[in-house]
Amino acid sequence: MVGKKSGKALRDEGLERTDNNMDLSSWPQVAAINQKNYYTDYLKRDDQYLAFRLQNEEARTKMTKSAKDRDRALAMAKTEAAEGEAEADGDANMEDAEETPAEAAGSKVIVIHVGSQNLRIGLSSDALPKTVPMVIARKAKTSESEDQEEPNPKRQKRDDGTPEEPEHLFGTEWSSQFNKMSADLKVHMRTNKRRMLPNSKEMVVNFNRRTVPETISEHNDPMRIEWTELSTPPPEYIVGQAALRVPDSSQPRYKLYWPLRNGCCNERDYASKRMLFLDISLILEDAIKSQLGLTSKKDWAQYSCVFVIPDLYEKSYVTQILEMLMREFSFARVCFIQESLAATFGAGLTSACVVDIGAQKTSICCVEEGMCVENSRVNLKMGGRDVTETFIKMMLHDHFPYADIDLWRRYDFLLAEDLKRTICTMNEANVSPQVFDFHLRVAGQDTQKHTFKAFDEVHLAPMGFFEPTIFDNLPKLDGCRKLIDRSVDIYDGQPNDPLSTAQSEILTALAPPLPKINGELQSASADAQAAQSKTQQSGALGRVQEQEATPHSSVAGSPAPEATGTPQAGGANPSAAATSTQTPRIAVEERDDILPVFPLDSAILTSIAHAARSDEKKMRDFIGGIMVIGGGTLTSGFHLCLEERLQTLRPGFLKEIMIGAPPRDLDPQVVVWKGASIFGKLSGTNDSWIGKLEYDRLGHRLMAYKCMWAY
């Protein structure tokens, strides 16, 4: 080791120090941090978040104002008491006038619930909402019925182009399933000691074959329709109910657009994301002006807005809606609430399993103590619209006299919806050959009265909720992710939309079998197929009970689901799936390729199983507190039929299973809106409001602090 050199040696080598021992810079030098004692309180206190600071400042301002008002009132009372009794009475009247705005709670809060087919909107102080069709008609060269090459329902044709016989209009596979459902219904009715004529189907077919429509002149039709008359010049767009009443052969032509489809954005019928959200904005704007009477946009800055979103929402949709409400509509405050939570608010329940069957979407979620159980959320792409289409297909199969019905035409669509609403039933006592009639009203033509017979079609069409393969599910995935990409994490680029283990299990059961490449993959694929078969036969409730009691971690809002599960082609390690004891899962990126259409009874049991997590008490509470809401539940006998199906799947809970309806005779279609309106009145305890100042500074990042759930 070389020793220290002397000063002379350094001078000889030219290395002698010649400075004056001053620092190289006058800038203060910071000593290195001692990692052993390192600590910081950055973003560890609520007062360091802008959202919480603004809430605290607002609370302090209200407290100061109320104290000043109280002191001022006491001082004025003492002064006016000496001036006479008359002035004291006048002061009492003034105090009553000051308290009047507080009595009209919610009069400055707009509640919006957007659905695939209908929009429900109203003030929080209203008893019931206004219902507007979620549709807009725009000028076009052709109408939507003229754009389609095939009618709806789609019929098959012979090789020479002529239509097939009614029994073969929709293919042999569909006809065989329809006949099988009809045979199963006969067996079930005989088991329940219900009499049935052996030739009922033949009676219906023979009657429908020979029936002839009756023509009624327009002046003799007391229920004639008032069609929408176009002004001069014709408007660029028409919104709501008036859009549905525009004649298909109008001049100029108008084409209908439905911005939402199957509970999410309709990317199939739109060419750009901007036009899609522009139509949503125009429909909402027209509803606020026409239904609420707020014609001036300048007044909207005085109002707050409560917006209802799905339980399994897409973050890109929520952020776009938030920007629309804050920027375009200029509301003072905005907050969001989930559908199932709003339903429990409207029904006055603290815990329930909410089953919401809409026009094109069915959502299931268990709510416990005012919070949605994240892993119990299920979103199925089927609803009352599927029942309408299937009912028309069944009637056409049995020689429906109006054989040219096309649901792309507006008057036929409204006719089919009315027939489903008035004729369909799930009560077996009403299944018998019956005569019905309807009036076909077309703009510019005389009314035609058709008479027809129906038998089991009125019952089997809504039974499609339990056998959804009878529905036409092929076009539901068209256009998915064409315009709007999935929301991803800004750090690792992984999808960050909320997940649910119940939804993931259903998607796994619906996933196609994997190719058998080697022995391990074949074994894993066999395990997955066995799991699928078990799920479809008895639901996921029994399988979850047999799993280990170790609770799973929540994956809602996480960037990716659990890695365990059925291996996908080119994906996870097959051996990991073979040795895993967890339920198989579907990768997040592959969820868009699988359509979530599953039997309703099995989906409910799957949701409850993931909410209870092997807790016997919770399972009995949820299975005994099932509340069905939505327009799809208005079919008579639906509650009893669903209860019977659940009892068949879970005979061990025969006494506990109970299907409830909304209390106080509330319309099942408005329960969610009613709950959201109640939520909007909770101004003192609601911390979910997003104001303009904080949104201008933080944007949609505020949702992480403002939502009552893990956003």
Side-chain angles (χ1 to χ4, degrees):
M1 181 177 180
V2 180
K4 184 178 181 181
K5 293 185 179 182
S6 63
K8 183 177 181 298
L10 292 174
R11 185 172 61 252
D12 294 341
E13 296 178 6
L15 299 177
E16 182 185 13
R17 182 172 181 173
T18 58
D19 60 4
N20 53 4
N21 292 328
M22 294 182 64
D23 294 334
L24 297 177
S25 173
S26 61
W27 191 266
Q29 297 182 6
V30 179
I33 297 176
N34 185 355
Q35 296 293 334
K36 295 182 179 179
N37 300 325
Y38 178 76
Y39 175 77
T40 179
D41 60 353
Y42 177 66
L43 295 183
K44 291 186 177 180
R45 298 195 309 268
D46 289 347
D47 57 2
Q48 294 175 336
Y49 292 91
L50 176 63
F52 294 112
R53 287 206 310 272
L54 293 178
Q55 288 180 5
N56 295 334
E57 291 175 5
E58 184 179 0
R60 284 195 297 268
T61 302
K62 288 183 179 179
M63 187 182 302
T64 304
K65 184 178 181 300
S66 61
K68 289 181 179 179
D69 292 343
R70 187 167 54 253
D71 295 341
R72 187 182 299 109
L74 292 175
M76 292 177 63
K78 292 180 181 179
T79 304
E80 294 175 357
E83 295 179 356
E85 184 177 358
E87 294 183 1
D89 294 338
D91 182 66
N93 294 334
M94 185 179 299
E95 290 180 359
D96 293 339
E98 292 178 355
E99 293 178 358
T100 302
E103 296 176 355
S107 59
K108 293 290 185 179
V109 179
I110 299 175
V111 182
I112 301 175
H113 181 206
V114 176
S116 299
Q117 188 161 310
N118 290 311
L119 161 69
R120 310 198 190 277
I121 188 172
L123 297 176
S124 185
S125 56
D126 295 341
L128 294 173
K130 306 292 192 305
T131 301
V132 180
M134 192 66 187
V135 63
I136 182 171
R138 286 187 173 275
K139 274 186 179 180
K141 295 181 179 179
T142 56
S143 63
E144 64 275 8
S145 59
E146 296 171 342
D147 278 347
Q148 304 297 327
E149 298 179 357
E150 298 285 346
N152 185 19
K154 183 179 179 181
R155 284 87 154 172
Q156 292 190 357
K157 297 181 179 180
R158 297 191 182 98
D159 296 336
D160 56 357
T162 58
E164 282 277 5
E165 290 295 326
E167 294 83 358
H168 307 289
L169 271 179
F170 309 107
T172 56
E173 183 178 353
W174 188 91
S175 298
S176 61
Q177 185 175 2
F178 176 34
N179 294 330
K180 179 181 178 301
M181 292 177 64
S182 181
D184 293 342
L185 176 62
K186 291 180 181 179
V187 173
H188 192 269
M189 293 182 66
R190 288 181 185 139
T191 304
N192 293 335
K193 303 296 189 294
R194 298 190 185 277
R195 297 184 59 185
M196 179 182 297
L197 296 176
N199 58 342
S200 299
K201 183 73 71 172
E202 290 75 10
M203 293 171 54
V204 170
V205 171
N206 293 332
F207 181 89
N208 292 339
R209 276 176 172 170
R210 63 174 182 268
T211 183
V212 178
E214 175 187 354
T215 303
I216 302 175
S217 58
E218 186 178 358
H219 62 274
N220 289 332
D221 185 8
M223 303 295 291
R224 59 181 176 271
I225 296 176
E226 297 294 334
W227 300 97
T228 301
E229 296 183 2
L230 303 179
S231 59
T232 305
E236 286 295 326
Y237 63 88
I238 304 173
V239 176
Q241 186 67 34
L244 293 176
R245 294 301 186 187
V246 175
D248 291 76
S249 58
S250 63
Q251 292 295 336
R253 292 284 198 273
Y254 281 84
K255 184 177 180 179
L256 295 186
Y257 290 92
W258 302 83
L260 298 181
R261 185 169 65 99
N262 297 121
C264 56
C265 293
N266 183 2
E267 302 177 65
R268 181 187 65 183
D269 299 332
Y270 281 87
S272 67
K273 176 182 176 182
R274 185 187 66 84
M275 286 300 299
L276 193 155
F277 283 99
L278 176 61
D279 282 358
I280 295 178
S281 174
L282 292 175
I283 295 173
L284 294 179
E285 180 180 344
D286 182 83
I288 293 174
K289 290 181 178 179
S290 61
Q291 303 297 326
L292 304 184
L294 304 176
T295 56
S296 177
K297 267 194 170 184
K298 296 180 180 179
D299 299 335
W300 295 6
Q302 305 174 11
Y303 286 80
S304 304
C305 178
V306 178
F307 198 92
V308 182
I309 61 175
D311 302 323
L312 279 176
Y313 52 88
E314 294 185 358
K315 286 191 175 182
S316 57
Y317 168 75
V318 176
T319 55
Q320 197 74 26
I321 290 295
L322 177 60
E323 182 179 1
M324 179 192 304
L325 299 177
M326 299 299 296
R327 301 282 190 226
E328 298 182 29
F329 294 174
S330 300
F331 287 132
R333 299 183 302 173
V334 174
C335 73
F336 294 92
I337 185 173
Q338 292 172 295
E339 286 179 339
S340 296
L341 181 59
T344 56
F345 269 80
L349 304 175
T350 57
S351 299
C353 178
V354 180
V355 181
D356 187 356
I357 304 177
Q360 301 179 26
K361 181 203 69 172
T362 297
S363 62
I364 307 169
C365 180
C366 294
V367 180
E368 183 179 16
E369 300 299 334
M371 292 293 291
C372 293
V373 182
E374 295 175 347
N375 286 332
S376 69
R377 295 175 292 184
V378 172
N379 190 308
L380 305 178
K381 303 303 182 183
M382 62 181 185
R385 179 71 177 270
D386 296 293
V387 176
T388 302
E389 295 179 1
T390 305
F391 174 65
I392 296 300
K393 290 175 71 173
M394 291 180 175
M395 292 305 305
L396 289 172
H397 183 274
D398 292 342
H399 295 261
F400 190 53
Y402 180 32
D404 295 333
I405 188 170
D406 182 5
L407 299 185
W408 291 119
R409 293 196 290 254
R410 295 154 202 171
Y411 55 87
D412 283 346
F413 168 73
L414 296 175
L415 171 65
E417 286 285 332
D418 184 64
L419 287 177
K420 179 199 70 173
R421 186 167 49 252
T422 56
I423 295 178
C424 286
T425 178
M426 301 191 77
N427 189 353
E428 292 183 357
N430 298 331
V431 178
S432 62
Q434 301 181 55
V435 179
F436 303 96
D437 59 63
F438 65 90
H439 293 77
L440 177 63
R441 298 179 174 91
V442 185
Q445 300 181 16
D446 290 336
T447 302
Q448 288 187 345
K449 180 181 179 181
H450 289 264
T451 304
F452 67 99
K453 270 190 176 184
F455 175 44
D456 55 1
E457 304 89 354
V458 299
H459 180 82
L460 296 180
M463 283 294 291
F465 284 124
F466 309 110
E467 297 186 33
T469 52
I470 197 69
F471 294 152
D472 185 11
N473 300 315
L474 290 179
K476 294 181 180 179
L477 285 176
D478 293 348
C480 184
R481 301 297 172 198
K482 184 182 72 173
L483 304 176
I484 304 174
D485 295 330
R486 184 181 295 278
S487 175
V488 297
D489 190 88
I490 60 175
Y491 296 106
D492 55 14
Q494 295 294 324
N496 62 353
D497 283 339
L499 303 177
S500 166
T501 55
Q503 181 80 357
S504 182
E505 180 171 337
I506 288 177
L507 294 178
T508 304
L510 295 172
L514 299 174
K516 301 179 181 180
I517 301 176
N518 51 48
E520 293 183 352
L521 187 58
Q522 181 177 356
S523 176
S525 179
D527 293 342
Q529 291 177 1
Q532 293 174 16
S533 175
K534 191 172 183 180
T535 303
Q536 295 173 349
Q537 290 178 2
S538 61
L541 187 59
R543 181 145 56 96
V544 172
Q545 284 180 324
E546 295 169 1
Q547 292 177 355
E548 70 281 4
T550 305
H552 300 215
S553 61
S554 172
V555 296
S558 62
E562 294 94 333
T564 60
T566 305
Q568 301 299 317
N573 184 10
S575 60
T579 58
S580 173
T581 58
Q582 303 289 338
T583 304
R585 303 295 177 205
I586 290 296
V588 178
E589 295 81 1
E590 298 171 355
R591 293 192 302 169
D592 296 330
D593 298 332
I594 302 174
L595 182 66
V597 174
F598 204 67
L600 180 62
D601 45 359
S602 299
I604 293 175
L605 295 178
T606 303
S607 174
I608 293 177
H610 285 267
R613 308 190 71 79
S614 302
D615 189 333
E616 187 76 14
K617 183 179 181 303
K618 285 185 179 181
M619 188 171 297
R620 294 185 181 276
D621 291 341
F622 286 132
I623 211 168
I626 301 175
M627 180 179 66
V628 292
I629 58 174
T633 64
L634 294 177
T635 306
S636 62
F638 179 83
H639 295 69
L640 293 177
C641 183
L642 177 59
E643 190 171 306
E644 181 182 353
R645 299 277 303 193
L646 292 175
Q647 290 173 350
T648 303
L649 289 179
R650 303 304 300 169
F653 296 91
L654 196 63
K655 297 181 179 179
E656 287 81 2
I657 293 176
M658 184 176 298
I659 308 298
R664 302 184 296 275
D665 296 330
L666 194 62
D667 186 355
Q669 301 177 93
V670 303
V671 174
V672 174
W673 183 93
K674 189 65 177 178
S677 68
I678 296 173
F679 181 73
K681 297 177 185 178
L682 304 177
S683 57
T685 58
N686 185 1
D687 297 334
S688 302
W689 291 109
I690 299 175
K692 284 187 176 181
L693 174 62
E694 47 195 348
Y695 181 76
D696 291 339
R697 294 185 180 180
L698 298 179
H700 62 84
R701 290 177 293 171
L702 273 169
M703 296 291 291
Y705 308 114
K706 291 294 188 176
C707 293
M708 297 186 298
W709 64 92
Y711 181 76

